[in-house]
Amino acid sequence: GWDVRGIDVGSVSRRTGAQAKLKFETSLAAFRELKYVGLALGPEELKLEPGYLLSQHLPDGEEPLRFLGANLMFFGSKDLGTPVASTVFEVNGVKVGVTSVMSDTIRKSVVPDMTPEQAAGAEIQWTDPAEALTTVIKEFDEAGATIRILLAQSTLEESRKLAEDFPDFTLIVRANGFGEGTDKPEMVGNVQLLEVGKKGKAAGVVGLYPDDAENPVRFELVTLSGELFPDSDRMTQLMQAYQDRLKSEEKAKNDGTEPHPSGATFVGA
């Protein structure tokens, strides 16, 4: 009976190419069915290229799924509306603000070091996360967002530094984690630092209890097992549609293959 919204810390896509884009589009359709309101753009998404991401971002509607990246800009223009710096939504009278940043360490895998002249003409521009978050915090203040969530594409050390520098955040959810995640958040001052593990094996569930002064925000890591969650007809339909497109558009054939350096024509596991 809970009124649920979804947010994703990013790195949904794993590869590039036609089939990877088809998988990404299927994931987006699933997110929208599940009332997701925010997707942080990680380096994997950026490798799909800004023009493609612009075509997949549908920011209209009452509570759309927004592509988030407070310190990222495409084609030198914030006016394009992709990615957005933050989103604010309301659940049962509680206003929640969500933003995302990519750290200097993580961005180097997709945005190389550039001179100011090179950066001015680049498809993807990166700026300092601290500068971007200072602006976002002011926007949350103006919007009256009492719960503030940062989706951090960053290392553990960089995430801790963000928690220290921006104590106004309620939660920081870190991508690039490892293992299965943990039920017990790390506390950095009053900020909860969370990791939910890799490959979608578990979902981090945040419960808001505004009337509980001592414990208003609670976190639990829920394993996504078949015992707890039976197959959804709608998700099965989305998977079937993906497979049908894969077959009709001949994605595997059109993507081609990469020869093995040894010259072998078949390489087993």
Side-chain angles (χ1 to χ4, degrees):
W2 284 44
D3 194 0
V4 178
R5 298 293 183 276
I7 56 177
D8 197 280
V9 73
S11 300
V12 172
S13 179
R14 293 182 63 192
R15 296 179 176 85
T16 59
Q19 186 174 356
K21 289 179 179 179
L22 182 51
K23 287 183 178 181
F24 183 64
E25 290 164 25
T26 306
S27 297
L28 292 180
F31 285 162
R32 290 175 176 124
E33 287 277 344
L34 294 166
K35 297 173 72 173
Y36 271 60
V37 294
L39 167 65
L41 296 184
E44 294 84 357
E45 282 78 32
L46 296 185
K47 288 175 184 176
L48 293 175
E49 301 179 350
Y52 172 75
L53 292 172
L54 281 167
S55 74
Q56 297 304 311
H57 189 200
L58 309 176
D60 297 326
E62 188 174 338
E63 278 191 349
L65 171 61
R66 298 188 185 278
F67 292 177
L68 302 172
N71 66 327
L72 298 171
M73 182 167 60
F74 293 166
F75 302 112
S77 176
K78 288 284 188 183
D79 294 337
L80 293 174
T82 305
V84 297
S86 65
T87 185
V88 176
F89 59 94
E90 188 169 328
V91 183
N92 292 339
V94 179
K95 286 190 175 181
V96 181
V98 184
T99 187
S100 170
V101 292
M102 182 179 291
S103 74
D104 186 45
T105 300
I106 302 303
R107 67 92 188 161
K108 288 180 180 179
S109 66
V110 67
V111 181
D113 292 331
M114 292 182 282
T115 66
E117 292 76 17
Q118 291 171 326
E123 290 188 353
I124 303 173
Q125 280 136 346
W126 176 92
T127 56
D128 180 67
E131 182 181 334
L133 289 177
T134 299
T135 301
V136 168
I137 290 294
K138 292 178 182 177
E139 293 171 353
F140 286 167
D141 288 340
E142 294 171 0
T146 55
I147 303 297
R148 301 169 181 200
I149 301 172
L150 170 60
L151 307 175
Q153 285 279 344
S154 60
T155 66
L156 180 58
E157 292 75 17
E158 288 168 327
S159 298
R160 286 171 175 156
K161 183 70 165 57
L162 288 171
E164 292 169 359
D165 292 346
F166 294 93
D168 286 339
F169 280 108
T170 313
L171 309 169
I172 294 179
V173 187
R174 188 177 81 88
N176 308 291
F178 56 89
E180 305 298 323
T182 176
D183 250 337
K184 188 174 181 180
E186 176 183 340
M187 298 302 299
V188 182
N190 292 321
V191 181
Q192 297 186 44
L193 180 58
L194 311 177
E195 291 185 48
V196 295
K198 295 183 84 71
K199 297 186 177 180
K201 292 180 180 180
V205 180
V206 177
L208 305 181
Y209 296 79
D211 297 328
D212 186 340
E214 292 186 4
N215 197 15
V217 180
R218 307 178 193 175
F219 174 74
E220 182 177 350
L221 200 62
V222 178
T223 301
L224 299 178
S225 69
E227 295 177 358
L228 291 174
F229 301 98
D231 288 346
S232 155
D233 289 342
R234 183 64 188 126
M235 294 300 117
T236 301
Q237 291 168 10
L238 285 175
M239 284 300 298
Q240 185 61 56
Y242 162 74
Q243 291 171 342
D244 289 344
R245 282 188 65 188
L246 196 63
K247 181 178 179 181
S248 65
E249 298 176 24
E250 298 186 315
K251 295 294 185 186
K253 185 188 293 185
N254 294 336
D255 270 5
T257 58
E258 291 292 332
H260 193 267
S262 69
T265 55
F266 177 79
V267 180

